[in-house]
Amino acid sequence: MHAIRQAVLRQAMDTEPVSPVKQDEKGRAAEEIFGKHVFGLPAMRKRLPKDVYRKLARIIRNGERLDPAIADVVASAMKDWAMEHGATHYTHWFHPMTGLTAEKHDAFLTPTGDGQVISEFSGKMLISGEPDASSFPSGGIRSTFEARGYTAWDPSVPAFIIPQPYGATLHIPTYFYSYSGETLDRKIPLQRSIAALSKQALRILRLFGNTTASFVRPNVGPEQEYFLVDSRLAALRPDILLTGRTLLGAPSPKGQEMEDHYFGAIPGRVMSFMQDLEIELLKLGIPAKTRHNEVAPGQFELAPVFEEANVACDHNMLCMNMMRHLAPRHGFVCLLHEKPFAGVNGSGKHNNWSLSDSEGNNLLNPGSTPQDNAQFLVFLAAVLRAVHRHAAALRLGTVGAGNDHRLGANEAPPAIISVYLGEQLAEVLNTLVNGNRSGKRKRSVLEVGVSTLPPLPVDLSDRNRTSPFAFTGNKFEFRAVGSSQSVAPVNIALNTAVACALDDIATELEASLASGMRLNAALQELLPRLFKEHMPVVFNGNGYAQTWPEEAARRGLPNYDNTVLALEHYCDPDVMDVFLRQNILTEREMRSRQEILLENYTKSVCIEGRTMAAMVRTSVLPSSLEMQCRIADVVIKTRTVTGEQTVASEESYFTEVRDHVKALQKGVESLEQALERIDHITGVLEKAQTARDMVLPAMAECRGHADALEQLVDDSLWTLPKYAELLWIN
Ligand code: ADP
Ligand code: MG
């Protein structure tokens, strides 16, 4: 083994778990820690005058506009609370289209002019900000002379503090938009999609005689997968440091085949990290609930309890930040990339999604009375219609260079968006559809609003894992999101598409009722028709089967199996229309997003390409050439000693190494040419296509030879930590 690797490996293996729990927090129950770092309702109630608290609580609950008159009072209480928790600075925390979060810290201190300072934080500073954020991607929305982005407080997500060694920073969740009022983030469209969904869902509830619900909101529980790799080993891998994944690496002789890691005992150092993470998340009011080992060695999962979509999306971003931030304390780097290692499972994020009304009723719960069942069937029909009609929009919520390694790679659902309902529910729908189709009697076997649905299993474990969108008893689980991605895009698409479908359904039902029809009769007429129309999107079979793509094509379901192809459809009329119709995004905003996502793709692929080229030239080739020389020496010596003209086995070893070296040299040249070519292309789409069609294949070619060489070269010459070390040392 190479001396550097050996030294680092020893350090890694000798690392003891560090106790994450501070003395004063040991054994404290979660209730005591929960929300300690959050200026949420309990802190507000304690610190705000009653009338202000009531107003603000109502604004938060109903998503109303902020009354600027109370901003100063709230700001002052927030500042006092934050300073008591050690805060010296505040920041508007926003989510530019980079896919990451952004912050710019300002101190509370303000000079008074007489050589002293006071701490200041006004209502204006709370509700609006103007970070000079001109370098964030805007997809051409902001011209350079007005390159400013603005931030505005989102009171629906509580402000929080992040402790730092020399004082904490108060983080205020904010929206991010341009001077001309266009959205530059994902929070604004998400909020709009939630409002649109609420408006349409309420129309349905009213038809069912519900006069009390004041809103409907989506709930989201994102399950987060991640890898932990020893940070000292990772430091020897430029690919892990720069791209978050390994670009080279032969398979470990032992991978995930024994399934001994999955749900196994959690290693000590990992457990410390998990506990540390949980404590910090609980303090931030993020209800971290479940932790376990995942399928691949070195892979783990964290699941929080679901929250309202807007809060859940922000919390997931915060959770990813905390994972990256806390891992080094435990001697790890946390990899959120979708495919950190070839040959073992990648990481995804399951977006559990349901709808509940202002009284806490889950609208995706089938219920037990015929009336509840009927209402459930309407929402189910809406979801099927949404997914069937707007599959492309949903697929676009999962695009990214990293996720392309997963979708369709038989470890994650395919890129074809279909719905899994389970046998029983599918049977119910068939009965409903076919009962009507037979036409023998007006009444179908299943009489909507009169018959009761058979009990449906709340299926916890034995569900179809190959489906991208599965009904799991009282919620849907969207499984195609990548582990590093924000869940906002997919929720924006889902909420908007379902809002459109509910809009269509409500319009038709309202017309039927206006013409004197009874609700049940209108449903009996409408539902079978809807289920029949959208049944092609229901697929309970094996999504990994070779035949599924063909079958899906016959059903007319799109299969955009890579990011660039999907993005080409971003502004197709049927995709665009759904966002325009519900006023979620304007055409200009859509086009700018398409451009940003294409640029992101190209940049990611090119960074990977450049990193790989550098590693090949400065690590793999030098080690391999050294090996080649050594074998040549051996060949010559053997010939001299034995007197034989040919020494077959030594020579074939030499040839094998030399052929791979030659091919790798050629490969890296084509990779560099492809990268250079992209620099000369101006169109964003063409750049992305070239990245996909030239850079990625050149990288695959290089990798093949580099990995072969890794298995041929003397281990003491190989400087890059190997898969076995990266995956199994924790
Ligand atoms: P799994 O078997 O996939 O781990 P679980 O039932 O344990 O599924 O739930 C996983 C996630 O689903 C958790 O984040 C949980 O909070 C969330 N979840 C549960 N019920 C709902 C719901 N009604 N709406 C949204 N998310 C939910
Ligand atoms: Mg799940």
Side-chain angles (χ1 to χ4, degrees):
M1 183 179 286
H2 193 283
I4 296 178
R5 269 166 58 218
Q6 198 171 30
V8 162
L9 207 54
R10 190 162 298 143
Q11 274 182 20
M13 294 189 78
D14 287 348
T15 306
E16 289 293 323
V18 282
S19 167
V21 187
K22 292 180 199 81
Q23 210 47 42
D24 62 327
E25 281 165 356
K26 223 165 225 167
R28 290 277 188 87
E31 306 100 81
E32 264 183 74
I33 307 176
F34 192 75
K36 203 173 134 187
H37 287 169
V38 169
F39 191 66
L41 289 175
M44 289 177 184
R45 191 183 304 121
K46 221 154 94 190
R47 289 167 184 271
L48 291 172
K50 256 204 187 98
D51 57 324
V52 175
Y53 169 74
R54 250 187 256 124
K55 248 190 213 167
L56 189 58
R58 202 187 55 228
I59 287 166
I60 293 170
R61 187 174 146 75
N62 298 335
E64 292 168 10
R65 279 190 173 278
L66 188 79
D67 176 357
I70 64 168
D72 276 327
V73 185
V74 178
S76 160
M78 197 187 277
K79 183 201 74 182
D80 291 347
W81 168 85
M83 288 183 70
E84 281 167 35
H85 284 80
T88 55
H89 288 66
Y90 74 93
T91 179
H92 277 199
W93 186 66
F94 57 105
H95 304 231
M97 290 292 293
T98 52
L100 302 169
T101 60
E103 44 196 80
K104 172 187 166 208
H105 298 191
D106 276 302
F108 288 125
L109 74 86
T110 310
T112 50
D114 56 0
Q116 302 193 52
V117 291
I118 52 161
S119 293
E120 197 189 43
F121 186 57
S122 65
K124 193 171 166 291
M125 290 151 109
L126 167 65
I127 55 181
S128 62
E130 199 182 325
D132 184 15
S134 43
S135 295
F136 286 119
S138 71
I141 276 186
R142 287 174 293 162
S143 42
T144 31
F145 66 90
E146 232 329 324
R148 279 179 175 269
Y150 295 79
T151 51
W153 183 32
D154 168 15
S156 68
V157 181
F160 55 93
I161 54 160
I162 298 286
Q164 274 122 359
Y166 300 104
T169 303
L170 169 66
H171 285 61
I172 300 153
T174 50
Y175 302 112
F176 186 47
Y177 59 97
S178 75
Y179 177 74
S180 46
E182 271 133 344
T183 64
L184 298 174
D185 72 357
R186 287 160 168 158
K187 273 170 71 74
I188 298 172
L190 179 64
Q191 280 290 31
R192 288 184 187 152
S193 75
I194 293 169
L197 181 59
S198 180
K199 182 174 162 196
Q200 303 305 334
L202 278 178
R203 284 172 69 193
I204 302 288
L205 294 189
R206 299 286 181 259
L207 290 171
F208 277 88
N210 180 330
T211 53
T212 49
S214 55
F215 58 75
V216 169
R217 298 238 169 99
N219 292 314
V220 167
E223 299 166 62
Q224 176 74 47
E225 293 179 336
Y226 60 97
F227 277 83
L228 291 175
V229 172
D230 185 90
S231 56
R232 287 144 298 196
L233 289 165
L236 297 178
R237 301 270 326 203
D239 47 0
I240 295 186
L241 296 186
L242 297 179
T243 71
R245 74 170 176 116
T246 56
L247 301 168
L248 304 170
S252 162
K254 178 180 174 185
Q256 64 189 43
E257 57 279 85
M258 298 290 283
E259 297 186 347
D260 45 357
H261 182 72
Y262 190 43
F263 278 44
I266 299 171
R269 188 145 67 101
V270 174
M271 185 55 124
S272 304
F273 164 77
M274 286 178 167
Q275 288 182 323
D276 198 5
L277 177 64
E278 280 166 14
I279 291 170
E280 294 308 318
L281 293 182
L282 289 176
K283 286 184 195 160
L284 288 166
I286 301 175
K289 175 128 176 124
T290 311
R291 60 184 181 213
H292 60 81
N293 291 2
E294 260 299 330
V295 177
Q299 191 187 27
F300 308 92
E301 181 182 297
L302 176 138
V305 176
F306 66 91
E307 300 180 280
E308 281 189 10
N310 181 39
V311 178
C313 287
D314 275 23
H315 277 176
N316 181 247
M317 296 301 284
L318 193 49
C319 177
M320 291 195 286
N321 287 353
M322 290 313 277
M323 287 174 151
R324 291 194 192 98
H325 171 73
L326 293 174
R329 240 192 236 176
H330 302 270
F332 288 126
V333 288
C334 177
L335 303 183
L336 293 168
H337 193 281
E338 285 75 16
K339 195 71 186 175
F341 298 96
V344 295
N345 269 23
S347 302
K349 185 141 47 190
H350 290 180
N351 186 81
N352 293 274
W353 179 92
S354 67
L355 292 173
S356 64
D357 69 15
S358 54
E359 285 149 350
N361 302 304
N362 180 353
L363 305 179
L364 295 180
N365 190 338
S368 48
T369 66
Q371 166 96 357
D372 286 348
N373 290 168
Q375 188 185 297
F376 163 72
L377 288 174
V378 171
F379 282 97
L380 181 66
V383 174
L384 292 190
R385 183 175 176 84
V387 179
H388 191 204
R389 288 212 153 173
H390 306 295
L394 284 172
R395 169 69 181 95
L396 281 159
T398 67
V399 290
N403 215 16
D404 280 3
H405 299 286
R406 266 179 83 241
L407 297 189
N410 281 13
E411 58 177 79
I416 307 160
I417 305 292
S418 65
V419 184
Y420 169 83
L421 290 180
E423 298 305 327
Q424 266 142 308
L425 189 52
E427 190 48 44
V428 167
L429 302 193
N430 273 332
T431 312
L432 196 59
V433 171
N434 296 328
N436 249 17
R437 201 202 287 152
S438 75
K440 287 193 186 118
R441 331 185 267 166
K442 267 268 175 279
R443 279 168 42 171
S444 68
V445 183
L446 200 119
E447 231 180 314
V448 179
V450 179
S451 333
T452 316
L453 293 183
L456 299 167
V458 179
D459 196 353
L460 283 177
S461 54
D462 190 34
R463 72 191 85 129
N464 185 339
R465 294 254 156 206
T466 69
S467 173
F469 197 60
F471 181 67
T472 51
N474 58 10
K475 61 178 162 76
F476 279 94
E477 190 168 331
F478 190 91
R479 306 211 187 96
V481 188
S483 50
S484 71
Q485 299 179 324
S486 160
V487 286
V490 95
N491 285 298
I492 295 168
L494 197 51
N495 297 339
T496 308
V498 173
C500 271
L502 288 169
D503 188 357
D504 294 342
I505 294 174
T507 302
E508 189 167 340
L509 287 176
E510 283 162 2
S512 302
L513 265 62
S515 74
M517 224 170 167
R518 302 272 308 261
L519 179 65
N520 283 353
L523 290 172
Q524 195 72 45
E525 199 278 317
L526 173 69
L527 284 176
R529 182 154 44 82
L530 278 179
F531 284 126
K532 188 172 171 209
E533 182 183 346
H534 301 300
M535 210 50 104
V537 81
V538 175
F539 178 60
N540 289 322
N542 177 9
Y544 296 168
Q546 301 268 312
T547 48
W548 172 227
E550 294 155 30
E551 164 70 17
R554 270 195 299 279
R555 295 179 182 204
L557 306 179
N559 181 9
Y560 302 144
D561 65 0
N562 68 78
T563 290
V564 183
L565 177 61
L567 282 172
E568 281 177 52
H569 294 276
Y570 202 93
C571 294
D572 280 1
D574 60 319
V575 174
M576 180 87 88
D577 178 60
V578 60
F579 294 105
L580 297 186
R581 189 175 140 195
Q582 298 297 328
N583 295 316
I584 310 301
L585 289 166
T586 63
E587 181 170 345
R588 197 162 122 91
E589 288 167 337
M590 292 280 293
R591 292 199 184 281
S592 85
R593 263 152 224 259
Q594 180 184 34
E595 196 174 311
I596 291 168
L597 291 167
L598 283 166
E599 276 175 355
N600 280 353
Y601 176 86
T602 308
K603 283 181 193 160
S604 308
V605 173
C606 289
I607 291 170
E608 290 189 350
R610 288 194 296 268
T611 307
M612 182 186 260
M615 288 171 77
V616 165
R617 286 209 181 276
T618 61
S619 292
V620 178
L621 282 174
S623 304
S624 305
L625 284 167
E626 174 72 31
M627 189 67 208
Q628 197 177 312
C629 290
R630 278 200 198 174
I631 310 173
D633 276 350
V634 172
V635 171
I636 293 164
K637 275 184 199 149
T638 316
R639 273 195 206 143
T640 319
V641 172
T642 60
E644 287 169 30
Q645 270 310 297
T646 50
V647 283
S649 64
E650 288 82 351
E651 280 170 21
S652 75
Y653 187 7
F654 176 83
T655 315
E656 202 179 353
V657 171
R658 194 194 53 188
D659 286 353
H660 281 302
V661 165
K662 264 191 184 165
L664 182 55
Q665 266 167 331
K666 235 179 103 209
V668 79
E669 275 161 26
S670 344
L671 173 57
E672 285 161 345
Q673 279 160 9
L675 288 164
E676 203 188 314
R677 183 159 167 171
I678 291 183
D679 288 340
H680 297 294
I681 298 172
T682 42
V684 279
L685 176 61
E686 205 191 324
K687 266 180 188 285
Q689 285 166 335
T690 310
R692 177 193 61 192
D693 300 336
M694 294 190 67
V695 177
L696 289 182
M699 284 173 69
E701 173 72 15
C702 286
R703 180 168 191 158
H705 297 294
D707 291 358
L709 284 165
E710 183 186 322
Q711 289 162 301
L712 291 169
V713 171
D714 180 346
D715 197 31
S716 70
L717 296 175
W718 203 260
T719 51
L720 299 170
K722 297 184 172 180
Y723 265 28
E725 295 145 25
L726 297 169
L727 285 167
W728 287 105
I729 307 299
N730 47 40

